[in-house]
Structure formats: structure tokens, C-alpha cells
Amino acid sequence: AQSVSQHNHHVILSEAASLELGCNYSYGGTVNLFWYVQYPGQHLQLLLKYFSGDPLVKGIKGFEAEFIKSKFSFNLRKPSVQWSDTAEYFCAVNGITGGGNKLTFGTGTQLKVEL
Amino acid sequence: NAGVTQTPKFQVLKTGQSMTLQCAQDMNHNSMYWYRQDPGMGLRLIYYSASEGTTDKGEVPNGYNVSRLNKREFSLRLESAAPSQTSVYFCASSVTLSENQPQHFGDGTRLSIL
């Protein structure tokens, strides 16, 4: 079975600070990895995804994530956050089992960016 | 660009009442999903439908039924609502059931059961 851990449940940053949100997964095989963002009162939106190739992936709004296979990690980063980045961030994993698109989500990290 | 549309957005039920949550997508996606989101637990898959005419259980299917009415619509039914089913419900869709297909989510239905 696959699982995802997001270690930071609540993060508070000042504008222009750098961001790194941790995500570790548990699965023995090949994985697809995703970061979704949920702005207050809105639906989940895909931020970025990793399937294969370059382990450093770039997403929308200046976000990027690095897949480190040896550490089973897929941390999300942004060099300089903005107030509008206040949202909840979910890491998700999809193990390649042939059993279908069954995402396992982490418990989420609530990010608050202060002016 | 409607994407995935869920109705209703909010609902309050009494224990034992029944309710159907509606979901429709206009992206011509084959696969659809229902999740519930609870504080501190992320999203958990209730049921999914690989394609029109098929449905399968996810991680937490007990107390729910689903119907894939056609390619566009995938409904979730609570036959006898329980307080433990108080949650935010999200519908999602993807092009296929392939693991590398990102899922697109609706705005959610906030359901409270008293």
C-alpha cells in the first residue's frame, strides 16, 4: 500500500520568504507524484507533477519540486512567496501498479503568508 | 470553462435521511472519482469509475453508493446518512484511469449531518 506524509501541518511566512514544504511517500515501485493547491473556498488545482525524466519539475506560479528517489521525497519549493500563495497544499502519489489512477493524498499543509 | 460541476454546494441532513450528490464534467473524460476530505486526513477515495458503465470501490466506500449515469455524470448517494459522513465531498475526473493522468476537481459539496 502507498502512503504520503506531509510533516508541516501549518506554516506561517512573511512575504518574500522562501518556502519548502516536505513530502515523503512510501511505495516500493515506480510512482507518479503531484502537488495540488487549494485556495480558500476553491477546488483543488494541479500545481505540478512528476512522471519521469528530470527530477526537478517546474509548475505554475513559480513553484517547483524535486524528486529524490533515494529519500522517497518530493518537496515543494518557491524562492519568494506572495500573500496570494496563502492556501492549503497537498502532496499526492500514484503508484504504478496497473490498478488505475488511485491517488493517495497527504494530510495537507496550511500555508499562511503575512504581509 | 465549467470543468467539473458539483451540486449542491452545501447541504444539511438529519441522521437517517438520504441524499444524492451530483457531479458532471464537460471535458469528455472517461474516468471519474468521488473523494471525501476531512480535517487532518487529506482526501480519501470513496468510489471511482474507470469508464461509463463501470464503478469500483475506493478506500472508504461503506455507507455510499454511486451511479455512472453516462460519460458526463457520476453521482454519489448516501442511503441513510450518519454523523460520521459529515465532510466535504469532491468529485474529480481524468482523461483515463492511467496513473499519469492528472485529476481535475470540482468545487466540493459541504455536507453536515445532524
Side-chain angles (χ1 to χ4, degrees):
Chain A
Q2 57 197 27
S3 64
V4 178
S5 296
Q6 291 182 244
H7 312 296
N8 316 102
H9 298 295
H10 293 90
V11 173
I12 301 174
L13 295 173
S14 299
E15 264 203 332
S18 63
L19 170 72
E20 180 159 4
L21 301 183
C23 172
N24 287 88
Y25 68 92
S26 173
Y27 183 73
T30 304
V31 292
N32 292 326
L33 296 157
F34 305 83
W35 275 97
Y36 282 86
V37 60
Q38 186 177 28
Y39 297 103
Q42 295 187 27
H43 61 271
L44 277 79
Q45 301 172 41
L46 182 67
L47 206 50
L48 49 79
K49 59 187 185 289
Y50 172 79
F51 294 154
S52 63
D54 189 344
L56 183 63
V57 293
K58 295 189 184 299
I60 60 173
K61 304 185 181 186
F63 286 91
E64 65 179 32
E66 184 176 13
F67 171 51
I68 303 179
K69 189 174 181 180
S70 61
K71 295 185 178 180
F72 298 91
S73 69
F74 190 55
N75 292 354
L76 181 71
R77 299 195 293 249
K78 186 172 184 178
S80 177
V81 295
Q82 299 174 309
W83 178 79
S84 57
D85 293 325
T86 294
E88 190 158 19
Y89 294 81
F90 293 93
C91 181
V93 65
N94 202 339
I96 308 301
T97 66
N101 196 343
K102 298 176 188 176
L103 285 174
T104 297
F105 284 84
T107 54
T109 297
Q110 188 70 52
L111 171 66
K112 181 178 180 181
V113 180
E114 297 178 330
L115 295 171
Chain B
N1 291 340
V4 179
T5 302
Q6 291 183 235
T7 55
K9 294 191 183 305
F10 303 94
Q11 185 70 47
V12 178
L13 294 178
K14 294 181 180 179
T15 298
Q17 287 185 314
S18 61
M19 165 111 197
T20 299
L21 308 185
Q22 306 288 352
C23 174
Q25 52 90 11
D26 62 1
M27 296 176 283
N28 201 34
H29 286 174
N30 289 293
S31 303
M32 298 184 73
Y33 314 81
W34 275 105
Y35 292 88
R36 59 178 290 173
Q37 182 184 26
D38 301 295
M41 302 190 73
L43 280 79
R44 292 179 292 167
L45 183 64
I46 304 172
Y47 270 93
Y48 67 99
S49 169
S51 60
E52 183 179 353
T54 69
T55 61
D56 282 289
K57 295 178 180 179
E59 183 185 352
V60 289
N62 292 344
Y64 305 95
N65 286 302
V66 290
S67 295
R68 183 73 184 269
L69 304 170
N70 47 55
K71 190 171 185 178
R72 289 186 63 247
E73 298 172 288
F74 187 39
S75 62
L76 178 73
R77 183 162 178 83
L78 287 71
E79 290 290 351
S80 179
S84 61
Q85 294 176 304
T86 293
S87 187
V88 181
Y89 291 85
F90 286 98
C91 178
S93 69
S94 62
V95 175
T96 69
L97 201 61
S98 175
E99 292 95 339
N100 65 358
Q101 292 293 329
Q103 295 181 19
H104 301 261
F105 287 81
D107 288 339
T109 295
R110 193 171 295 272
L111 183 61
S112 293
I113 299 160
L114 307 176

